[in-house]
Amino acid sequence: MTIGLSHFLFVSAVLFSLGLLAVISKKNAVTVLMGVELILNAANINFVAFAKYIDTDLDGQVMALFVIVTAAAAAAVALAIVLNLYERLRTINIDSADSLAH
Amino acid sequence: MDNVLTWITFLPVIAAVAILFVPQTSKNLVRSIAAVFTGLQLVLAIWIYMNFDAAASGFQFMEQVKWIPAFNIEYFMGIDGLSVPMVLLTAFLSFICIFASWGIEKSVKGYFAMFLLLDAGMMGVFCALDFFLFYIFWEVMLLPMYFLIGIWGSPSRTDPDGMVRGGPYAAIKFFLYTLFGSIFMLIAMLVFYFNVQDPVTGGHTFNMLHLMDQANHVGVLDDFNIRLLMYAALFLGFAIKVPVFPFHTWLPDAHVEAPTAVSVILAGVLLKMGTYGMLRISFPMLPDAMKWEYFAYGMAILGLINILYGAFCAMAQKDLKKLVAYSSISHMGIVLLGMSGLTSMGMNGAVMQMFNHGTGTAMLFLLVGVIYDRAHHRQIEGFGGLANQMPIYTALVSIAFFAGLGLPGFSSFISEAFSFLGAFGSEAFDLRLITIISTLGIVITAGYFLWTFQRMFLGELNPKYADLPEINGRELFTLVPIAVIVILLGVYPAPLLDLMRTSLNELVAVVNAADTTLLGLH
Amino acid sequence: MITNAILILLLPFLAFTIQIFVGKRLPRQGDWLSTGAMIAAFLLAVPIFVDAIVNYQPDYIIAQQTYDWINFGDIQVTFGLLVDNLTAFMLIVVTLISSLVHLYSIGYMHGDSRYSRYFAYLSLFSFSMLGLILVDNFFGVYVFWELVGVSSYLLIGFWFEKDSAADAGKKAFITNRIGDVGMFAGIMILFATLGTFNFNEVFTGIANGELSGTMLTVAGILLFMGAIGKSAQFPLHVWLPDAMEGPTPVSALIHAATMVAAGVYMVGRAYVLFTPEALLFIAYIGVITAFMAATIAIVQKDIKRVLAYSTISQLGFMMVGLGTGGYTAGLFHLTTHAFFKALLFLGSGSVIHAVHSQEMDDMGGLRKKMPITFWTFLIGTVSLSGVPPFSGFWSKDAILASALEFGMLNPSHLGIYVVTLLSAGITAFYMLRLVYMTFAGEPRDKEKYSHAHESPMTMTIPLSVLAVLSVGTIWWGWVEHLLAKPDLASYAGTVLPVPHSGGHDVAHSAHIIAMISSVIVASSGILLATTVYYWKKISAETWGRRLRPIYNLLWNKYYFDEFYQATFVNGTLWKARLLAVFDSKIIDGVVNGAAKLTVGLSRLNGAFDMRGVDGLVNGVATVIAWSGARLRLVQTGNIQNYILMALFAVIAIIVIQQF
């Protein structure tokens, strides 16, 4: 059995679903952020896989690197927000950060 | 002096703006500015009089500039023999009225600014040759007049019959009534606009000269019934201003409640705009409709009603100012009658009557103002025997009254007599019976003027007025020039008549030559 | 000569202008100015008159000058002076009497508070009257006609502190205006048909048949209406007796000698345009006036009122003369009447000046106190009564002859002659009654009698001059010569042979009968008056009681004033008030009603706007707000919910995509 495009896509889909599940269901802000990271990396796998099988230049790999960098930056910001949230509410449960609804 | 008409129209606007920059406290400076600028205006009017070529036909001192090119609206000014007397009258009376307003103490700045704006509007109406421009000036006058009557007129009061009257009531009545009329004028104007072809560009136009040329009339203007409707609409618009019975009731109210100088302007100039409009717009633009016999006879009959009805109403008045107001209605009827005959004599007589009524009635209102300032009421019955107390005033009143009742030697005699003669001798219509009945107005007029004179000035002096002061220098300054003009034109009317003759005779010829073959259509 | 004419016209006007502005500051308040101007005018008129006599021809035009006045382009209205025989004649009469009255006024008005103003008005009147006879066109006649009216108004109401004087002035002016309107209508007809005002052109046009028939008759009668007003003919005579409120010299000049004669002059001037029908109308108006006024004069007690009614009656005589074809007779009577009636009025003024009363009951026996006044007054009286050889006899005789001749040629109109003759008899009666009650017998008011005195020289000299002129048997020849009856045919350009031969015999016999009958009625009138008031053989009181209804009718002047007051004056006032109420309640009511209706509608509209239109707008807003409030709950603020919803949405989109 040769490893084909569909295999990569399957892994990516599983990762994405796990990430989405984490984002939707977890109450811990840090866990949610980790879910986001999973979603981003699912996308990265897709980029690289499509670059390998469909388009043979390096655009996909470049985009994946770019996403990794951006995700790192986003994680830094997000963690700062979480830290702030904790300082203010003494919790990192995101359900308690609903003041916009009231 | 290329733009003399622009100058003469907008000088008062400059003065009004200048007045706005003067502190409220320097009242005399405000008055002086107004006097100087209206004086300049009068000088310009005299210059026009000297330089106007009365023998030439057509318009003179023309200025034509594109104003709103998208709609082919022009800033188009020019005057002919019909406008020049009105321009002179406006400039003259405005100047006089500034001095008659010298005693106004209530927000002087506002008063004079409004007055000057009014002056500009009036002058513009008489100079405009673009229908749109004409309409603008026509409406511009309303606003200052509204404030002048409403604010500086008599205060609001509730009459025994429960009606609230007084300055504000009269102002609103005047404003709405005139506005109501001008709506009809607006409609007619727009019909003209869309159905007259500019002979050069082929587009729509407001240019009155093009409007007057029947060859440019296309579209619905070829339909005689439409033309009749338009004539009726224009007539309604102008008739309210004249005012023609039964649209006259704004006049007694407005005249009585307005301050003296504003009454003078109202009666002296504003009323003339109605008849001026008919002669400037209705007659030359829709000559065939004017010649439709129902309109022609209708106009003469309305003239007759005005003459007699105004005179009878005047006779019954107890308030001197109201009497003068109704006498205006009566005298303007003569203008209508003179116009309707379509003879050169009647037409010239009618326009002379416009001028002469302007001066005569101005004098009357100024005189009413003089006695009101002293006695603080105007009830005719309240006086008596003033002739010995105020001889100079009495002399001036008798001049004004005798001029009013059409005594030879005073200007209105000439114009009244020739209006009647012209109407009687009309070849286009048989107005003989109407004219003869109208002349009965002469008797009634003599009746109410003499009766009033007797009640106020003759008999024993009412002891209440034993220390009434004689007329003062400023008042004399406003009255004597008018008296001189009234007498001069009464003896030798040629200076006035020579101005207008050429233009008016052309107008008469145009209307008389109008193609009435369309009459069969309806 | 034209210079003379212009100066005659301008001198009084100049005097008026100066007097009105600076009269009070002039020495003697400027009475010399007005008087001097008038005398100068008289002196200037003399050469014109002499010229008219010396160079006599029937249609002699002594001077003529026309000026452009008003130019209408297609019509030129000229204003000019025309001096012909008739004008020359009138000029001398007017300037002479006016000069004398000016002179007399210096004495009479002495010490009046508005002395200079009086002379100003007198000059204005003289100017207007002279203008009236000098102008050459109908429009000019109308102009001066009105000016004469206004100066009369000013002079009647001169003592305006008295209500009666102010009333009388107003009444005179308005009554005259009624006639003037008719006259103006007549002028309008002439002008509309002939296109000119000029006498000569009008007459030429009529001679050429451009205006004829009924329209010409109507024009003539309308023109005559002016004369009815100004010459106080029935039914517009009511103003003249009241006009006696004015100073007596004014009554003499204006209301006896000149202004009231203007109507007669006008009829004479326009004589050729009157058709036979119009002339008949004039004659009948004249005869009614003559008789009516004469009867009223019998019972009046105020000396000036008697003279006023006498004037009306005599003006009626003149109209009879003109109307029956006696052109010369009518104008001749105008002249003689002017002199003797001015004399009578000035004489009565002298009496009033002496006793300070106008009531004849306060007089009597004044002959001894005032000899000059008495004798001159007597001359005037007999002249007016028609006693030969005084001037009044000749002129009245001429009128009666004319009326009789007319009656003989048209027997159905013989009544004109009979009534005129009767009026002549009554004239003699009431004039002698006046003289007896004033000058003869015992003084009725001793107090007033004792203060009476002869008047000063400025008053008696004019009386004497006028008395001399009233004798005037010399007049007739000149007059017949000067005032030859004009012939319309002569204006046509071609002189037609006049086939008027049969009339001469009639005229001759009529003249003789008229002369005899007029002497008879005059003497019987005088005799009757003497019997009643001098010999007292017949008691006036007894007869007055016996004929009470007639006496009352005459005493109340046939109730004309009451009738006019009740109908025209009150009718006009009533109409005026009615129309004023109509104006303020109905016409203005409609306007105010329209305003109220508009306000009401706008209230209704406002309510609709608030409940309806605005309700809809607000309703939409409410629905949206309500649903918004419900939907708001969806916004939990919980990010995980949002993502879940997005997920569902994506799934939904995918699912929908599949179908």
Side-chain angles (χ1 to χ4, degrees):
Chain A
M1 184 187 97
T2 50
I3 305 293
L5 180 60
S6 55
H7 300 100
F8 286 101
L9 291 186
F10 181 76
V11 173
S12 165
V14 169
L15 264 181
F16 177 81
S17 305
L18 288 172
L20 191 61
L21 189 66
V23 168
I24 290 172
S25 58
K26 292 296 169 190
K27 299 293 171 201
N28 190 314
V30 179
T31 327
V32 171
L33 278 176
M34 286 163 71
V36 171
E37 289 302 322
L38 285 183
I39 291 171
L40 288 171
N41 283 315
N44 276 348
I45 289 169
N46 275 7
F47 271 125
V48 176
F50 282 122
K52 170 87 175 132
Y53 289 98
I54 306 291
D55 200 24
T56 49
D57 59 14
L58 288 176
D59 283 1
Q61 283 84 338
V62 172
M63 192 51 74
L65 281 174
F66 192 65
V67 169
I68 290 164
V69 174
T70 319
V77 175
L79 281 172
I81 291 172
V82 170
L83 211 61
N84 259 311
L85 193 70
Y86 180 76
E87 293 225 332
R88 207 166 276 255
L89 303 173
R90 291 280 141 202
T91 172
I92 50 169
N93 185 346
I94 53 171
D95 277 355
S96 48
D98 61 350
S99 59
L100 274 179
H102 303 290
Chain B
M1 281 300 200
D2 277 346
N3 300 319
V4 64
L5 294 185
T6 301
W7 278 108
I8 202 170
T9 306
F10 290 99
L11 261 179
V13 178
I14 299 175
V17 172
I19 280 174
L20 294 181
F21 289 103
V22 174
Q24 182 70 262
T25 44
S26 21
K27 292 180 177 176
N28 274 328
L29 182 60
V30 171
R31 293 167 182 145
S32 310
I33 290 175
V36 167
F37 276 82
T38 48
L40 278 176
Q41 193 188 28
L42 182 59
V43 170
L44 279 183
I46 293 167
W47 186 87
I48 287 175
Y49 173 72
M50 312 284 268
N51 287 277
F52 181 77
D53 180 4
S57 74
F59 291 88
Q60 299 177 34
F61 304 109
M62 288 207 276
E63 298 167 32
Q64 194 166 10
V65 181
K66 289 248 173 284
W67 181 24
I68 310 176
F71 299 105
N72 208 0
I73 294 170
E74 289 168 337
Y75 175 78
F76 187 18
M77 309 275 265
I79 46 179
D80 67 351
L82 171 60
S83 336
V84 173
M86 296 298 114
V87 167
L88 282 170
L89 182 68
T90 309
F92 176 61
L93 288 185
S94 298
F95 181 65
I96 294 282
C97 283
I98 294 296
F99 291 93
S101 313
W102 215 261
I104 298 270
E105 291 293 337
K106 181 174 168 186
S107 44
V108 182
K109 269 173 72 172
Y111 178 86
F112 281 96
M114 285 296 172
F115 197 93
L116 290 161
L117 202 58
L118 174 69
D119 182 8
M122 296 186 302
M123 201 54 102
V125 165
F126 292 129
C127 296
L129 279 186
D130 184 280
F131 205 157
F132 191 80
L133 190 64
F134 177 91
Y135 186 79
I136 299 254
F137 281 125
W138 184 276
E139 298 293 313
V140 156
M141 275 167 355
L142 284 186
L143 206 67
M145 200 42 129
Y146 171 77
F147 286 117
L148 285 171
I149 300 174
I151 298 176
W152 289 273
S154 47
S156 211
R157 61 170 196 277
T158 308
D159 275 358
D161 62 357
M163 279 287 295
V164 178
R165 288 179 211 273
Y169 164 78
I172 291 171
K173 195 167 174 181
F174 164 80
F175 190 93
L176 289 183
Y177 224 136
T178 321
L179 202 65
F180 173 74
S182 43
I183 288 167
F184 291 92
M185 190 166 94
L186 180 69
I187 295 168
M189 179 174 99
L190 292 177
V191 176
F192 270 125
Y193 177 67
F194 287 113
N195 294 288
V196 173
Q197 260 182 345
D198 188 321
V200 183
T201 63
H204 303 315
T205 181
F206 282 115
N207 185 319
M208 285 198 197
L209 298 187
H210 296 333
L211 264 53
M212 287 176 198
D213 187 351
Q214 305 297 313
N216 297 333
H217 289 198
V218 293
V220 296
L221 282 178
D222 287 339
D223 183 344
F224 188 63
N225 289 323
I226 298 287
R227 295 174 73 87
L228 291 181
L229 274 177
M230 285 179 63
Y231 185 87
L234 283 173
F235 185 81
L236 187 63
F238 296 132
I240 287 173
K241 205 85 171 186
V242 172
V244 176
F245 174 90
F247 307 114
H248 63 275
T249 53
W250 63 267
L251 181 134
D253 279 309
H255 280 56
V256 170
E257 311 300 349
T260 301
V262 177
S263 304
V264 170
I265 290 292
L266 257 178
V269 184
L270 253 69
L271 304 193
K272 314 300 172 292
M273 286 183 180
T275 43
Y276 174 82
M278 291 179 197
L279 293 177
R280 168 66 69 236
I281 291 170
S282 310
F283 277 39
M285 294 184 194
L286 299 163
D288 45 344
M290 190 275 146
K291 279 189 84 176
W292 192 47
E293 56 183 13
Y294 288 96
F295 281 159
Y297 285 106
M299 190 156 164
I301 288 170
L302 285 174
L304 161 73
I305 294 176
N306 258 38
I307 293 170
L308 293 182
Y309 185 87
F312 272 120
C313 286
M315 186 173 267
Q317 298 308 318
K318 296 190 175 70
D319 180 328
L320 182 60
K321 207 169 180 183
K322 217 160 186 171
L323 180 140
V324 177
Y326 275 106
S327 84
S328 285
I329 296 176
S330 180
H331 284 136
M332 289 308 287
I334 297 174
V335 179
L336 284 183
L337 185 65
M339 277 160 44
S340 57
L342 291 181
T343 55
S344 67
M345 195 179 246
M347 189 67 80
N348 283 295
V351 179
M352 268 201 282
Q353 170 75 357
M354 280 158 70
F355 187 92
N356 294 337
H357 174 253
T359 47
T361 200
M363 217 177 150
L364 285 169
F365 276 116
L366 288 172
L367 287 163
V368 174
V370 169
I371 194 74
Y372 184 70
D373 285 346
R374 283 163 176 67
H376 305 295
H377 76 90
R378 297 182 298 250
Q379 297 303 309
I380 297 167
E381 298 287 357
F383 297 102
L386 292 179
N388 281 333
Q389 181 65 29
M390 307 169 76
I392 302 175
Y393 179 70
T394 309
L396 284 164
V397 170
S398 48
I399 289 177
F401 275 20
F402 281 130
L405 61 83
L407 194 77
F410 299 105
S411 56
S412 50
F413 165 73
I414 308 265
S415 45
E416 283 178 23
F418 286 114
S419 296
F420 284 134
L421 278 163
F424 190 89
S426 170
E427 282 162 14
F429 317 105
D430 184 3
L431 302 178
R432 288 182 295 183
L433 186 65
I434 295 173
T435 312
I436 287 189
I437 299 173
S438 303
T439 50
L440 290 178
I442 298 179
V443 179
I444 306 164
T445 308
Y448 68 75
F449 271 130
L450 290 186
W451 191 32
T452 308
F453 191 76
Q454 182 185 359
R455 283 182 290 172
M456 286 183 68
F457 296 97
L458 308 184
E460 289 293 337
L461 178 66
N462 185 341
K464 221 163 83 184
Y465 297 115
D467 49 0
L468 218 56
E470 177 61 292
I471 188 165
N472 65 32
R474 176 176 63 78
E475 289 158 345
L476 274 180
F477 178 76
T478 61
L479 282 160
V480 171
I482 309 183
V484 169
I485 287 180
V486 164
I487 292 172
L488 274 185
L489 288 179
V491 177
Y492 190 61
L496 179 61
L497 183 63
D498 287 345
L499 277 180
M500 57 177 75
R501 186 175 53 232
T502 312
S503 301
L504 293 181
N505 286 357
E506 269 171 16
L507 177 61
V508 169
V510 164
V511 182
N512 267 324
D515 182 13
T516 47
T517 49
L518 280 167
L519 287 170
L521 280 180
H522 74 103
Chain C
M1 283 300 162
I2 192 67
T3 327
N4 280 19
I6 294 170
L7 279 177
I8 289 173
L9 190 56
L10 284 187
L11 278 174
F13 183 71
L14 209 64
F16 161 70
T17 321
I18 297 172
Q19 284 284 68
I20 202 89
F21 285 113
V22 293
K24 270 205 162 145
R25 277 168 243 143
L26 292 175
R28 289 186 53 85
Q29 301 207 20
D31 56 2
W32 49 274
L33 189 74
S34 293
T35 315
M38 213 51 238
I39 291 172
F42 169 65
L43 295 177
L44 287 164
V46 170
I48 295 179
F49 188 61
V50 170
D51 185 40
I53 291 174
V54 174
N55 303 321
Y56 173 73
Q57 307 160 29
D59 296 320
Y60 182 42
I61 288 171
I62 298 153
Q64 196 174 14
Q65 179 85 37
T66 309
Y67 303 94
D68 284 338
W69 185 40
I70 301 177
N71 177 5
F72 286 106
D74 51 351
I75 296 157
Q76 320 269 340
V77 180
T78 57
F79 212 88
L81 303 183
L82 170 75
V83 186
D84 62 1
N85 290 335
L86 178 58
T87 312
F89 195 75
M90 289 296 295
L91 274 182
I92 202 91
V93 174
V94 171
T95 50
L96 178 55
I97 295 181
S98 186
S99 303
L100 293 172
V101 167
H102 272 79
L103 213 57
Y104 179 93
S105 299
I106 294 178
Y108 190 86
M109 297 301 287
H110 182 76
D112 193 275
S113 60
R114 286 188 295 273
Y115 187 70
S116 70
R117 186 57 62 88
Y118 172 82
F119 278 96
Y121 290 164
L122 218 51
S123 288
L124 174 66
F125 169 76
S126 304
F127 160 72
S128 320
M129 189 66 209
L130 291 168
L132 180 62
I133 54 183
L134 276 169
V135 290
D136 69 345
N137 63 73
F138 280 106
F139 194 75
V141 166
Y142 182 72
V143 167
F144 285 109
W145 195 263
E146 292 280 313
L147 285 178
V148 164
V150 80
S151 33
S152 159
Y153 166 79
L154 293 171
L155 283 166
I156 294 171
F158 186 71
W159 288 314
F160 57 75
E161 289 90 346
K162 271 195 301 182
D163 280 336
S164 56
D167 278 334
K170 185 182 63 182
K171 184 171 173 184
F173 193 88
I174 293 172
T175 316
N176 266 307
R177 269 249 157 160
I178 295 170
D180 295 352
V181 164
M183 182 180 173
F184 188 69
I187 294 175
M188 286 200 291
I189 293 178
L190 291 180
F191 183 79
T193 335
L194 304 167
T196 176
F197 295 115
N198 187 285
F199 291 139
N200 267 321
E201 292 169 18
V202 167
F203 300 152
T204 310
I206 292 170
N208 292 331
E210 288 169 38
L211 175 64
S212 59
T214 317
M215 212 55 203
L216 184 58
T217 306
V218 169
I221 289 176
L222 283 172
L223 271 185
F224 178 63
M225 265 185 74
I228 292 181
K230 199 117 293 179
S231 293
Q233 297 294 294
F234 166 84
L236 295 180
H237 62 276
V238 290
W239 65 272
L240 188 59
D242 288 17
M244 296 304 133
E245 291 291 342
T248 303
V250 167
S251 308
L253 175 62
I254 300 185
H255 307 118
T258 55
M259 181 184 97
V260 290
V264 180
Y265 164 77
M266 200 269 289
V267 174
R269 172 57 80 193
Y271 199 67
V272 294
L273 70 73
F274 291 102
T275 56
E277 292 81 18
L279 286 176
L280 192 64
F281 180 78
I282 294 175
Y284 270 104
I285 290 286
V287 73
I288 293 171
T289 312
F291 181 75
M292 175 206 67
T295 49
I296 296 174
I298 298 174
V299 299
Q300 297 302 313
K301 291 228 163 81
D302 180 318
I303 183 167
K304 279 181 78 178
R305 272 183 186 264
V306 174
L307 290 175
Y309 280 106
S310 160
T311 305
I312 297 174
S313 173
Q314 296 303 310
L315 289 164
F317 273 86
M318 297 175 208
M319 291 301 178
V320 169
L322 289 167
T324 54
Y327 172 85
T328 316
L331 289 172
F332 182 34
H333 195 54
L334 186 164
T335 321
T336 57
H337 175 261
F339 289 120
F340 63 65
K341 192 49 74 60
L343 168 61
L344 289 172
F345 264 108
L346 294 184
S348 77
S350 182
V351 171
I352 294 164
H353 198 65
V355 297
H356 299 291
S357 166
Q358 301 193 5
E359 294 297 316
M360 288 195 283
D361 286 342
D362 298 341
M363 301 169 187
L366 288 170
R367 181 165 66 92
K368 291 178 201 99
K369 285 259 182 175
M370 313 175 71
I372 303 176
T373 305
F374 167 67
W375 283 109
T376 51
F377 199 90
L378 191 65
I379 291 174
T381 304
V382 292
S383 187
L384 172 56
S385 308
V387 174
F390 294 95
S391 61
F393 166 74
W394 300 104
S395 53
K396 198 177 286 182
D397 172 56
I399 286 174
L400 287 169
S402 155
L404 181 58
E405 184 189 340
F406 186 74
M408 284 159 84
L409 291 173
N410 311 284
S412 56
H413 299 302
L414 197 59
I416 296 177
Y417 168 72
V418 176
V419 178
T420 314
L421 189 66
L422 189 61
S423 312
I426 299 172
T427 307
F429 176 78
Y430 69 68
M431 276 318 292
L432 265 293
R433 166 180 175 263
L434 175 67
V435 171
Y436 291 136
M437 286 180 79
T438 310
F439 293 101
E442 288 303 306
R444 274 178 288 269
D445 190 324
K446 294 271 192 287
E447 165 76 19
K448 287 199 165 115
Y449 180 77
S450 59
H451 292 298
H453 55 86
E454 184 59 281
S455 300
M457 289 277 279
T458 51
M459 289 166 73
T460 50
I461 289 175
L463 287 178
S464 313
V465 174
L466 285 167
V468 171
L469 289 167
S470 298
V471 177
T473 42
I474 40 172
W475 284 93
W476 177 234
W478 287 3
V479 170
E480 200 171 28
H481 199 53
L482 260 184
L483 300 177
K485 187 170 167 182
D487 188 3
L488 183 60
S490 67
Y491 288 99
T494 52
V495 181
L496 302 166
V498 188
H500 199 68
S501 53
H504 201 70
D505 289 340
V506 177
H508 193 65
S509 56
H511 211 90
I512 293 172
I513 300 173
M515 191 179 286
I516 296 167
S517 59
S518 90
V519 172
I520 292 172
V521 292
S523 31
S524 33
I526 292 172
L527 197 66
L528 188 61
T530 315
T531 320
V532 178
Y533 295 100
Y534 192 69
W535 297 325
K536 315 244 176 188
K537 298 275 193 230
I538 302 172
S539 164
E541 282 74 27
T542 323
W543 278 94
R545 269 196 300 281
R546 266 182 217 165
L547 300 172
R548 177 59 59 189
I550 296 177
Y551 179 83
N552 278 343
L553 186 66
L554 296 181
W555 175 247
N556 289 303
K557 309 142 199 160
Y558 295 101
Y559 296 99
F560 271 109
D561 282 326
E562 287 76 6
F563 176 68
Y564 288 161
Q565 183 70 35
T567 52
F568 297 117
V569 178
N570 289 346
T572 306
L573 286 178
W574 184 78
K575 218 178 292 170
R577 287 193 194 109
L578 186 78
L579 281 179
V581 170
F582 173 76
D583 193 61
S584 64
K585 295 286 178 250
I586 311 288
I587 304 265
D588 203 28
V590 169
V591 175
N592 285 328
K596 270 197 189 125
L597 192 70
T598 315
V599 171
L601 274 179
S602 71
R603 290 235 171 85
L604 209 67
N605 190 27
F608 172 74
D609 193 54
M610 216 153 67
R611 309 264 150 71
V613 180
D614 206 29
L616 193 68
V617 174
N618 286 339
V620 170
T622 316
V623 169
I624 290 172
W626 181 83
S627 45
R630 303 280 96 68
L631 283 174
R632 194 175 74 98
L633 300 177
V634 178
Q635 303 288 330
T636 55
N638 194 322
I639 192 119
Q640 286 171 330
N641 285 357
Y642 298 162
I643 293 170
L644 193 62
M645 268 185 254
L647 179 67
F648 287 149
V650 169
I651 292 168
I653 288 167
I654 292 168
V655 172
I656 290 164
Q657 280 268 292
Q658 297 309 307
F659 299 101

